[in-house]
Amino acid sequence: MREIAYKIGQREIKIVIGVKSSALVDQLKGRKILIRSKRVEMPFDFDAEYVVDDGEGAKNLENVLEIIRIMKSAGLGRSDFVVAVGGGTVMDVAGFAASIYMRGVGLVNVPTTILGMVDAGMGGKNAINFEGVKNLLGTFYQPGLIIDELNFLSTLPQDEYITGLAEVIKYGITLDKDLYDYMSSNFESLKSRDLAKVEEIVYRSTENKMKIVGEDELDNKGIRIVLNYGHTVGHALEAGSNFSIPHGKAVSVGMVCESKVAEELGAVEEGVVEDVLWLLQLYGLPISVDQLKVKVDRHIALNALVGDKKRVGGEILMPVPVRIGEWTKFKVPLETLQGLVVQCLE
Ligand SMILES: NC(=O)c1ccc[n+]([C@@H]2O[C@H](COP(=O)([O-])OP(=O)(O)OC[C@H]3O[C@@H](n4cnc5c(N)ncnc54)[C@H](O)[C@@H]3O)[C@@H](O)[C@H]2O)c1
């Protein structure tokens, strides 16, 4: 088990990674409202609970209001806790509710998917979808404690597990060549969820993400944008499929497409696209829209690019890997990007 402390702004954040780490929830001093995925059993005591019918459709205002009603009727105060137990969707919706109730109550994230452990559970961003726009409403709000209980992974379907590894590969490609190589050379044991190896990649992902978050908590210094590699096109694909593509798979295809765009425009070294393709394919992650086996509405996908948060005027700022482990950002005129993304959609 590993325990790491980070300081983000004025906040102390503790992250615990390992088997049996979830026992820590019982040590919290205060009332606890559990917001949990319907897929996981609850090992903790709690004062009230809300079970989320999770998945992308759960990131809506109705769920936020229901959680707030439960907090109010349980008499939750500012020194009490919301404990979010589930994948990225549960933590997004619970984090948003926790951040606006009484201008913020204690938040503990207990991710139960690998994607939640390596990405969604930390960093302080939360969001819900609104009127077909992904992550339109959200806040920055740091959880004080994050518990990556690896035992939760035992019930996670293999496809979900592999899907979550796309975000680990993202850190490897953009920030950490050693992690890229580790993912490559430990493929068999990671695929079969050797927990010691899984703990290592959760730890390395945590270090990579928290370093970036520490440098640019509010995403206004142009550093945190690196975490969005693959997400401009990924979000467009999610929108074009009416959010039926799992996030990690959309990001996987997004990383390939964005790297191709960057290579085409001469923004990255030759060979980067092959390196991106190699590791994603090793894990059986999708590298083309075709492999997603879901209908993607081209018009909606291209329109989603217009609404991208990284758009400034007629240009979109995109992070891309120059070579494995190093990244840069470059500006692409929206129309050029749309033209090149059309090729990825074919
Ligand atoms: N806020 C952030 O910084 C951030 C970062 C990355 C992703 N996200 C968001 O996270 C979401 C994706 O997260 P996700 O991939 O965890 O999706 P998810 O929450 O939909 O979970 C995936 C599936 O796994 C099931 N599940 C969860 N835990 C399980 C377990 N232990 N055993 C069996 N089944 C389990 C869920 O019921 C669901 O069907 C997206 O909405 C994305 O936008 C947010």
mmCIF file of all heavy atoms in Angstrom, residues 11 13 27 33 59 73 85 98-99 101 115 147 166 170 185 190 211-212 264 296 300 304 313 322 332 343:
data_model
loop_
_atom_site.group_PDB
_atom_site.id
_atom_site.type_symbol
_atom_site.label_atom_id
_atom_site.label_comp_id
_atom_site.label_asym_id
_atom_site.label_seq_id
_atom_site.Cartn_x
_atom_site.Cartn_y
_atom_site.Cartn_z
ATOM 1 N N ARG A 11 -4.614 23.395 -0.293
ATOM 2 C CA ARG A 11 -5.215 22.147 0.176
ATOM 3 C C ARG A 11 -4.222 21.004 0.275
ATOM 4 O O ARG A 11 -3.396 20.805 -0.617
ATOM 5 C CB ARG A 11 -6.333 21.734 -0.791
ATOM 6 C CG ARG A 11 -7.501 22.682 -0.698
ATOM 7 C CD ARG A 11 -8.772 21.934 -0.769
ATOM 8 N NE ARG A 11 -8.759 20.721 0.048
ATOM 9 C CZ ARG A 11 -9.832 20.167 0.557
ATOM 10 N NH1 ARG A 11 -10.992 20.720 0.366
ATOM 11 N NH2 ARG A 11 -9.777 19.050 1.257
ATOM 12 N N ILE A 13 -3.828 17.086 0.124
ATOM 13 C CA ILE A 13 -4.578 15.966 -0.463
ATOM 14 C C ILE A 13 -3.832 14.672 -0.199
ATOM 15 O O ILE A 13 -2.627 14.580 -0.466
ATOM 16 C CB ILE A 13 -4.766 16.191 -1.974
ATOM 17 C CG1 ILE A 13 -5.681 17.411 -2.171
ATOM 18 C CG2 ILE A 13 -5.377 14.960 -2.651
ATOM 19 C CD1 ILE A 13 -5.569 18.022 -3.508
ATOM 20 N N GLN A 27 -12.387 5.740 9.298
ATOM 21 C CA GLN A 27 -11.711 6.625 10.269
ATOM 22 C C GLN A 27 -12.109 8.097 10.130
ATOM 23 O O GLN A 27 -11.680 8.936 10.909
ATOM 24 C CB GLN A 27 -10.194 6.514 10.096
ATOM 25 C CG GLN A 27 -9.647 5.134 10.457
ATOM 26 C CD GLN A 27 -8.181 5.004 10.074
ATOM 27 O OE1 GLN A 27 -7.472 5.985 9.851
ATOM 28 N NE2 GLN A 27 -7.716 3.757 9.990
ATOM 29 N N ILE A 33 -22.197 10.791 3.701
ATOM 30 C CA ILE A 33 -23.224 10.437 2.722
ATOM 31 C C ILE A 33 -22.514 9.679 1.616
ATOM 32 O O ILE A 33 -21.562 10.194 1.025
ATOM 33 C CB ILE A 33 -23.851 11.702 2.088
ATOM 34 C CG1 ILE A 33 -24.405 12.643 3.141
ATOM 35 C CG2 ILE A 33 -24.892 11.320 1.051
ATOM 36 C CD1 ILE A 33 -25.705 12.231 3.705
ATOM 37 N N LYS A 59 -24.640 11.610 -15.505
ATOM 38 C CA LYS A 59 -24.055 12.944 -15.274
ATOM 39 C C LYS A 59 -25.077 14.019 -15.639
ATOM 40 O O LYS A 59 -24.922 14.747 -16.608
ATOM 41 C CB LYS A 59 -22.761 13.098 -16.086
ATOM 42 C CG LYS A 59 -21.649 12.217 -15.538
ATOM 43 C CD LYS A 59 -20.314 12.242 -16.254
ATOM 44 C CE LYS A 59 -19.824 13.453 -16.893
ATOM 45 N NZ LYS A 59 -18.406 13.397 -17.263
ATOM 46 N N SER A 73 -31.590 16.561 3.839
ATOM 47 C CA SER A 73 -32.430 15.865 4.821
ATOM 48 C C SER A 73 -31.594 15.104 5.849
ATOM 49 O O SER A 73 -32.051 14.857 6.962
ATOM 50 C CB SER A 73 -33.485 14.985 4.149
ATOM 51 O OG SER A 73 -32.847 13.994 3.426
ATOM 52 N N VAL A 85 -18.265 6.625 -4.401
ATOM 53 C CA VAL A 85 -17.706 5.303 -4.653
ATOM 54 C C VAL A 85 -18.225 4.804 -6.002
ATOM 55 O O VAL A 85 -19.399 4.451 -6.132
ATOM 56 C CB VAL A 85 -18.120 4.304 -3.543
ATOM 57 C CG1 VAL A 85 -17.375 2.982 -3.714
ATOM 58 C CG2 VAL A 85 -17.870 4.886 -2.164
ATOM 59 N N ALA A 98 -21.151 17.975 -4.186
ATOM 60 C CA ALA A 98 -20.410 18.304 -2.951
ATOM 61 C C ALA A 98 -19.830 19.715 -3.013
ATOM 62 O O ALA A 98 -19.718 20.401 -1.995
ATOM 63 C CB ALA A 98 -19.279 17.291 -2.735
ATOM 64 N N SER A 99 -19.491 20.161 -4.225
ATOM 65 C CA SER A 99 -18.842 21.474 -4.338
ATOM 66 C C SER A 99 -19.826 22.634 -4.229
ATOM 67 O O SER A 99 -19.441 23.733 -3.857
ATOM 68 C CB SER A 99 -18.082 21.575 -5.664
ATOM 69 O OG SER A 99 -18.974 21.741 -6.756
ATOM 70 N N TYR A 101 -23.041 22.391 -2.581
ATOM 71 C CA TYR A 101 -23.846 22.359 -1.366
ATOM 72 C C TYR A 101 -23.109 23.130 -0.260
ATOM 73 O O TYR A 101 -21.959 22.826 0.059
ATOM 74 C CB TYR A 101 -24.060 20.902 -0.949
ATOM 75 C CG TYR A 101 -24.848 20.721 0.325
ATOM 76 C CD1 TYR A 101 -26.241 20.764 0.314
ATOM 77 C CD2 TYR A 101 -24.204 20.500 1.543
ATOM 78 C CE1 TYR A 101 -26.971 20.587 1.480
ATOM 79 C CE2 TYR A 101 -24.923 20.328 2.708
ATOM 80 C CZ TYR A 101 -26.300 20.376 2.669
ATOM 81 O OH TYR A 101 -27.018 20.202 3.825
ATOM 82 N N LEU A 115 -10.065 3.605 -14.756
ATOM 83 C CA LEU A 115 -10.071 4.978 -15.273
ATOM 84 C C LEU A 115 -10.265 5.983 -14.132
ATOM 85 O O LEU A 115 -9.647 7.040 -14.087
ATOM 86 C CB LEU A 115 -11.164 5.149 -16.332
ATOM 87 C CG LEU A 115 -11.089 6.476 -17.078
ATOM 88 C CD1 LEU A 115 -11.267 6.271 -18.570
ATOM 89 C CD2 LEU A 115 -12.096 7.486 -16.578
ATOM 90 N N ILE A 147 -9.020 7.272 -2.255
ATOM 91 C CA ILE A 147 -8.635 5.915 -1.867
ATOM 92 C C ILE A 147 -8.765 4.988 -3.071
ATOM 93 O O ILE A 147 -9.868 4.719 -3.554
ATOM 94 C CB ILE A 147 -9.533 5.421 -0.710
ATOM 95 C CG1 ILE A 147 -9.320 6.320 0.506
ATOM 96 C CG2 ILE A 147 -9.217 3.972 -0.374
ATOM 97 C CD1 ILE A 147 -10.266 6.030 1.646
ATOM 98 N N ALA A 166 -6.400 3.175 -21.374
ATOM 99 C CA ALA A 166 -6.121 4.194 -22.395
ATOM 100 C C ALA A 166 -5.571 5.470 -21.746
ATOM 101 O O ALA A 166 -4.681 6.117 -22.287
ATOM 102 C CB ALA A 166 -7.395 4.509 -23.184
ATOM 103 N N LYS A 170 -2.040 7.340 -22.186
ATOM 104 C CA LYS A 170 -1.967 8.784 -22.474
ATOM 105 C C LYS A 170 -0.815 9.434 -21.695
ATOM 106 O O LYS A 170 -0.036 10.210 -22.262
ATOM 107 C CB LYS A 170 -3.302 9.453 -22.078
ATOM 108 C CG LYS A 170 -3.312 10.965 -22.198
ATOM 109 C CD LYS A 170 -4.551 11.586 -21.553
ATOM 110 C CE LYS A 170 -4.425 11.672 -20.037
ATOM 111 N NZ LYS A 170 -5.598 12.308 -19.393
ATOM 112 N N SER A 185 6.422 -3.523 -21.687
ATOM 113 C CA SER A 185 7.129 -4.746 -21.287
ATOM 114 C C SER A 185 6.361 -5.573 -20.251
ATOM 115 O O SER A 185 6.667 -6.744 -20.062
ATOM 116 C CB SER A 185 8.539 -4.427 -20.803
ATOM 117 O OG SER A 185 8.485 -3.436 -19.836
ATOM 118 N N LEU A 190 -0.078 -7.056 -16.799
ATOM 119 C CA LEU A 190 -1.058 -5.974 -16.615
ATOM 120 C C LEU A 190 -2.408 -6.385 -17.176
ATOM 121 O O LEU A 190 -3.454 -6.104 -16.593
ATOM 122 C CB LEU A 190 -0.563 -4.690 -17.283
ATOM 123 C CG LEU A 190 0.455 -3.910 -16.457
ATOM 124 C CD1 LEU A 190 1.096 -2.802 -17.280
ATOM 125 C CD2 LEU A 190 -0.192 -3.323 -15.200
ATOM 126 N N LYS A 211 1.353 16.066 -10.578
ATOM 127 C CA LYS A 211 2.409 17.049 -10.865
ATOM 128 C C LYS A 211 1.843 18.148 -11.778
ATOM 129 O O LYS A 211 2.037 19.347 -11.515
ATOM 130 C CB LYS A 211 3.595 16.343 -11.540
ATOM 131 C CG LYS A 211 4.730 17.266 -11.882
ATOM 132 C CD LYS A 211 5.945 16.482 -12.364
ATOM 133 C CE LYS A 211 7.112 17.400 -12.665
ATOM 134 N NZ LYS A 211 6.897 18.276 -13.807
ATOM 135 N N ILE A 212 1.152 17.735 -12.813
ATOM 136 C CA ILE A 212 0.556 18.708 -13.749
ATOM 137 C C ILE A 212 -0.498 19.554 -13.035
ATOM 138 O O ILE A 212 -0.539 20.785 -13.181
ATOM 139 C CB ILE A 212 -0.076 17.961 -14.958
ATOM 140 C CG1 ILE A 212 0.998 17.229 -15.766
ATOM 141 C CG2 ILE A 212 -0.889 18.914 -15.828
ATOM 142 C CD1 ILE A 212 1.989 18.105 -16.502
ATOM 143 N N GLU A 264 0.507 15.321 -39.864
ATOM 144 C CA GLU A 264 0.170 15.895 -41.183
ATOM 145 C C GLU A 264 0.565 17.368 -41.263
ATOM 146 O O GLU A 264 1.006 17.851 -42.289
ATOM 147 C CB GLU A 264 -1.336 15.751 -41.406
ATOM 148 C CG GLU A 264 -1.761 16.000 -42.810
ATOM 149 C CD GLU A 264 -2.599 14.821 -43.351
ATOM 150 O OE1 GLU A 264 -2.467 13.689 -42.832
ATOM 151 O OE2 GLU A 264 -3.356 15.047 -44.243
ATOM 152 N N VAL A 296 -21.380 6.759 -35.510
ATOM 153 C CA VAL A 296 -21.015 8.116 -35.086
ATOM 154 C C VAL A 296 -21.582 9.107 -36.102
ATOM 155 O O VAL A 296 -21.259 9.029 -37.294
ATOM 156 C CB VAL A 296 -19.476 8.273 -34.998
ATOM 157 C CG1 VAL A 296 -19.101 9.710 -34.648
ATOM 158 C CG2 VAL A 296 -18.892 7.305 -33.968
ATOM 159 N N ILE A 300 -22.809 15.800 -36.047
ATOM 160 C CA ILE A 300 -22.782 16.137 -34.600
ATOM 161 C C ILE A 300 -21.335 16.146 -34.094
ATOM 162 O O ILE A 300 -20.934 17.031 -33.332
ATOM 163 C CB ILE A 300 -23.636 15.131 -33.782
ATOM 164 C CG1 ILE A 300 -25.106 15.217 -34.224
ATOM 165 C CG2 ILE A 300 -23.513 15.404 -32.278
ATOM 166 C CD1 ILE A 300 -26.028 14.224 -33.541
ATOM 167 N N ALA A 304 -19.351 19.318 -32.552
ATOM 168 C CA ALA A 304 -18.851 19.299 -31.175
ATOM 169 C C ALA A 304 -17.468 19.951 -31.093
ATOM 170 O O ALA A 304 -17.095 20.530 -30.064
ATOM 171 C CB ALA A 304 -18.796 17.865 -30.652
ATOM 172 N N GLY A 313 -11.302 31.745 -30.551
ATOM 173 C CA GLY A 313 -11.646 32.308 -31.856
ATOM 174 C C GLY A 313 -11.795 31.183 -32.868
ATOM 175 O O GLY A 313 -12.488 30.201 -32.627
ATOM 176 N N VAL A 322 5.403 15.219 -29.097
ATOM 177 C CA VAL A 322 6.435 15.477 -30.113
ATOM 178 C C VAL A 322 7.173 14.174 -30.391
ATOM 179 O O VAL A 322 7.484 13.821 -31.505
ATOM 180 C CB VAL A 322 7.488 16.482 -29.586
ATOM 181 C CG1 VAL A 322 8.411 16.925 -30.706
ATOM 182 C CG2 VAL A 322 6.835 17.649 -28.919
ATOM 183 N N VAL A 332 -4.502 24.809 -34.224
ATOM 184 C CA VAL A 332 -5.004 24.376 -35.526
ATOM 185 C C VAL A 332 -6.252 25.191 -35.848
ATOM 186 O O VAL A 332 -7.167 25.267 -35.019
ATOM 187 C CB VAL A 332 -5.469 22.898 -35.488
ATOM 188 C CG1 VAL A 332 -5.595 22.345 -36.891
ATOM 189 C CG2 VAL A 332 -4.587 22.056 -34.633
ATOM 190 N N GLN A 343 -11.331 12.750 -42.158
ATOM 191 C CA GLN A 343 -10.583 11.555 -42.602
ATOM 192 C C GLN A 343 -10.577 10.481 -41.524
ATOM 193 O O GLN A 343 -10.638 9.289 -41.802
ATOM 194 C CB GLN A 343 -9.140 11.936 -42.939
ATOM 195 C CG GLN A 343 -9.038 12.853 -44.137
ATOM 196 C CD GLN A 343 -7.604 13.370 -44.343
ATOM 197 O OE1 GLN A 343 -6.653 12.777 -43.857
ATOM 198 N NE2 GLN A 343 -7.477 14.470 -45.059
#
